[in-house]
Amino acid sequence: MRVHKLTFAALAVAAGLSLTACQSGNDNAGNGQSDPSSTSAASTGGGSDSNSSSTGGGSGTNASDRSGTSTGTGTSSGSGSKGSGKTAGSGSGTGASARTGKCLTAGLKITAQDGTIGGDTDGTVVVTLTNRSGHDCTVAGYAGVDLKTNAGSLSAKRTGQETVSAVLKNGESTYFPVSYPLNTSGGSGVRITGLVVTPPDETHSVTLAWPGAASLPVTDGSGSSVKVGPIGSAGQGG
């Protein structure tokens, strides 16, 4: 019986110890406490996460730097595009303005009409140049003028007036005079059959009907009595 009592007592002590251990574990769980080794492991894990996060941040910063470099490259590309735009602007804007060419015969409508005023000793034919080229052009100086006659071609002399360069806008006109002596001799004189006009600095001419008096007086051949004024001049004989 003594042996059985000791055995029961030992069992009771063991059960008590087991119950105490369970309660201690529950109390620690309830208080949020953990085993030091477990806490150490968690702390180590947290440190690892922190380092990873820090490393990740560094990697992210580097990625940001690389992204900035890429953006810089994009800006450089944009700058190149801007430079290209400047080049294009320079080709179509400044170049077009600087290349206002001379007025060509093909781009001009050339007409002539009598401009003689009663009582004048000389006759005047006014020649009109109208720009129909579709763009502005520059005109200056003297046109070439030849009268076709029954005695051959007669070239007009320049009056010697100063010339001025001017831009003739599309659709606008300019004028110059051709003066000639009137035939008051009573004779037939030299019959005029046509007027040949060559714009300044051109080699192509146009032939027009002569709108002035029918003839010129016969001269001694000492020189042309027909004169031409500069482009843009007005008045009888320039």
Side-chain angles (χ1 to χ4, degrees):
M1 290 295 293
R2 183 177 177 83
V3 173
H4 287 293
K5 286 181 180 181
L6 289 175
T7 300
F8 287 141
L11 289 175
V13 170
L17 291 174
S18 175
L19 179 60
T20 300
C22 290
Q23 288 177 349
S24 175
N26 290 337
D27 289 343
N28 288 337
N31 293 331
Q33 295 178 355
S34 60
D35 184 74
S37 63
S38 174
T39 302
S40 175
S43 175
T44 303
S48 174
D49 289 344
S50 175
N51 291 338
S52 174
S53 174
S54 175
T55 303
S59 173
T61 302
N62 292 336
S64 176
D65 289 344
R66 286 194 297 274
S67 175
T69 302
S70 175
T71 302
T73 302
T75 302
S76 174
S77 174
S79 176
S81 174
K82 184 177 179 182
S84 175
K86 285 183 178 180
T87 302
S90 175
S92 63
T94 303
S97 176
R99 290 197 302 271
T100 300
K102 66 182 180 181
C103 297
L104 303 178
T105 304
L108 295 171
K109 178 181 179 181
I110 304 175
T111 59
Q113 62 183 12
D114 186 13
T116 305
I117 299 175
D120 287 345
T121 57
D122 289 334
T124 300
V125 167
V126 178
V127 179
T128 303
L129 307 177
T130 303
N131 181 7
R132 62 176 185 181
S133 64
H135 54 79
D136 299 350
C137 62
T138 303
V139 61
Y142 287 84
V145 172
D146 296 282
L147 269 60
K148 296 174 69 174
T149 74
N150 61 341
S153 180
L154 180 64
S155 296
K157 281 187 173 183
R158 297 178 178 183
T159 60
Q161 290 175 271
E162 183 179 356
T163 63
V164 178
S165 178
V167 174
L168 189 62
K169 295 185 178 298
N170 184 50
E172 290 185 348
S173 300
T174 189
Y175 314 87
F176 68 87
V178 178
S179 65
Y180 62 97
L182 295 172
N183 183 14
T184 59
S185 65
S188 61
V190 178
R191 186 166 55 88
I192 305 172
T193 59
L195 172 65
V196 180
V197 177
T198 308
D201 301 319
E202 256 284 33
T203 57
H204 297 84
S205 305
V206 295
T207 300
L208 308 173
W210 175 251
S215 65
L216 298 172
V218 177
T219 66
D220 59 6
S222 61
S224 175
S225 56
V226 180
K227 295 182 179 180
V228 56
I231 298 291
S233 63
Q236 304 291 73

